[in-house]
Amino acid sequence: MTAGVAIYAVSCEAESKGARTLQKERQLNQFLAEVERRALRIAEIGVRDRDEALDLVQDAMIKLVRNYADRGTDEWAPLFYRILQNGIRDWHRRQFVRNRVMVWFRRPATDDNDYDVVAAAPDLAGRSPEQELQNAEAMQGLEAAVQDLPTRQREAFMLRTFEGLDVAGTAVAMGCSQGSVKTHYFRAIHALRERLQEHWAGGKAQ
Amino acid sequence: MNEPDEKFERETRKLFDRSVESLDASTLSRLNRSRQLALAEAHQAHTGLLRWAPATGIAAAVLIAVIVTRGPTNVDGFDLPVAMTDMEILLGEESIAMLEDLEFYSWLDTVESEDGDVS
């Protein structure tokens, strides 16, 4: 009798856990589908290479699912971007070390190694070629300006403006205080405006 | 933030959104594969744990059954009265102090019954 009750209780618990797991997987799928494109572009601006950015986004997805799937859904975005930003920072550290080592063995740079602007350029989406060109040029200018920002300013700007995280979420993603986020963001906006306003004076993105 | 800053923010966000919308099909496909890979790992981790749940449950149930039906019925070599299980002792209203001298009471009972036989 007791054994039967115990088996029933365990099987009910397993069934209920299975249903919860399935629901959690659906929520994870939905969350990742919502953030993956923006995350890719943010990573791409961070490392200037789409393939590397794809790898970083995939790593961030796997780490989020592996370590934080049980957290509340509202915590996923800051945690995901924290993982991604850490990945980008690690990537830069590795590149720095690699470049210091490889500088002695490097051949002269060829065009094959350059970032392929044409391959990374966005596809047409119903806009005229002139508008596309104007947008592409504006975006390239913005990307270059963002890439030249100090790391923390760049992170604050991309998380707040591109991803739309609030100050609290950005602070979690960056691993710093909300006051620091506000300072970095303020400085980033002003540095970008100063650099880009002359380029953007002639026309806006369409 | 002042109005020019907010305007600049809106424009940059719009520009970024356009670049996101315009990602090519090949890149979107790779993103989708990455997502499925991550989710597959989560699924595998969960099902890996769940696979052992029924076996663990059955083992626990069998253990409970064995303990309940074949649990120790004597303490320090002293045979407890048949009806007196551990639970009854714990739930009974008798003073728990009496149980410490249970061996003495058993001896007393034996002596009394022997005396009765003699007389």
Side-chain angles (χ1 to χ4, degrees):
Chain A
M1 174 76 178
T2 311
V5 170
I7 291 172
Y8 179 72
V10 168
S11 64
C12 283
E13 175 62 24
E15 202 171 296
S16 162
K17 197 173 178 182
R20 282 201 304 271
T21 303
L22 199 62
Q23 188 191 1
K24 189 63 91 174
E25 283 179 19
R26 281 201 196 110
Q27 289 173 330
L28 273 168
N29 185 37
Q30 189 181 349
F31 167 75
L32 293 175
E34 280 170 11
V35 298
E36 63 189 12
R37 299 181 189 192
R38 309 174 82 79
L40 173 68
R41 290 292 290 126
I42 286 172
E44 190 176 7
I45 292 170
V47 300
R48 308 182 193 199
D49 185 290
R50 181 160 289 181
D51 288 332
E52 297 283 356
L54 277 163
D55 287 344
L56 287 169
V57 170
Q58 180 174 300
D59 285 348
M61 285 177 172
I62 290 172
K63 283 177 183 165
L64 180 86
V65 168
R66 194 183 288 163
N67 300 320
Y68 300 107
D70 293 334
R71 296 288 191 93
T73 52
D74 55 334
E75 291 182 68
W76 284 345
L79 287 169
F80 176 76
Y81 278 103
R82 183 166 191 163
I83 297 167
L84 187 62
Q85 293 298 339
N86 286 341
I88 293 170
R89 267 181 244 152
D90 286 345
W91 184 89
H92 279 291
R93 279 191 209 112
R94 285 197 304 272
Q95 286 297 112
F96 179 73
V97 172
R98 190 177 301 163
N99 288 343
R100 287 186 69 173
V101 173
M102 294 303 291
V103 71
W104 303 101
F105 307 103
R106 186 177 293 165
R107 293 177 182 176
T110 63
D111 287 342
D112 294 341
N113 296 329
D114 288 344
Y115 179 54
D116 190 348
V117 178
V118 175
D123 286 346
L124 295 176
R127 288 178 284 271
S128 71
E130 291 78 17
Q131 288 171 338
E132 278 301 323
L133 183 63
Q134 196 175 12
N135 282 346
E137 282 176 354
M139 190 62 210
Q140 277 178 8
L142 176 62
E143 280 190 38
V146 170
Q147 282 160 356
D148 288 345
L149 287 173
T151 306
R152 301 299 270 172
Q153 287 183 31
R154 183 172 63 236
E155 289 174 1
F157 177 77
M158 289 199 293
L159 291 170
R160 294 276 287 121
T161 305
F162 292 167
E163 180 47 40
L165 291 182
D166 59 14
V167 175
T170 307
V172 172
M174 290 176 64
C176 65
S177 70
Q178 295 188 24
S180 296
V181 169
K182 287 177 187 170
T183 305
H184 290 311
Y185 186 63
F186 179 81
R187 288 177 181 163
I189 285 278
H190 281 262
L192 289 172
R193 271 190 63 200
E194 198 172 319
R195 176 163 167 180
L196 293 172
Q197 63 185 4
E198 61 189 60
H199 296 292
W200 288 17
K204 295 178 208 167
Q206 293 170 29
Chain B
M1 229 169 23
N2 57 29
E3 177 59 29
D5 286 348
E6 286 175 4
K7 190 179 169 199
F8 178 79
E9 191 184 63
R10 281 197 302 273
E11 285 179 11
T12 52
R13 184 177 296 142
K14 200 158 66 175
L15 204 54
F16 178 76
D17 287 345
R18 292 248 167 76
S19 79
V20 169
E21 288 164 14
S22 305
L23 285 170
D24 59 88
S26 162
T27 304
L28 295 180
S29 171
R30 288 179 66 183
L31 276 174
N32 187 40
R33 279 204 302 274
S34 296
R35 175 160 36 93
Q36 297 308 327
L37 186 73
L39 291 170
E41 180 154 325
H43 185 77
Q44 199 173 8
H46 285 298
T47 51
L49 289 174
L50 283 177
R51 195 185 309 146
W52 293 101
T56 311
I58 289 168
V62 168
L63 188 64
I64 290 167
V66 167
I67 289 170
V68 167
T69 57
R70 294 183 175 271
T73 54
N74 67 29
V75 177
D76 295 335
F78 169 68
D79 288 333
L80 290 172
V82 176
M84 189 172 280
T85 63
D86 291 348
M87 286 306 289
E88 283 171 343
I89 291 170
L90 290 171
L91 296 174
E93 292 178 356
E94 292 85 3
S95 167
I96 197 82
M98 173 201 153
L99 298 173
E100 293 173 4
D101 298 323
L102 209 53
E103 196 171 356
F104 167 73
Y105 288 113
S106 177
W107 170 80
L108 193 63
D109 188 39
T110 311
V111 169
E112 280 177 353
S113 55
E114 281 174 359
D115 287 349
D117 291 344
V118 171
S119 63

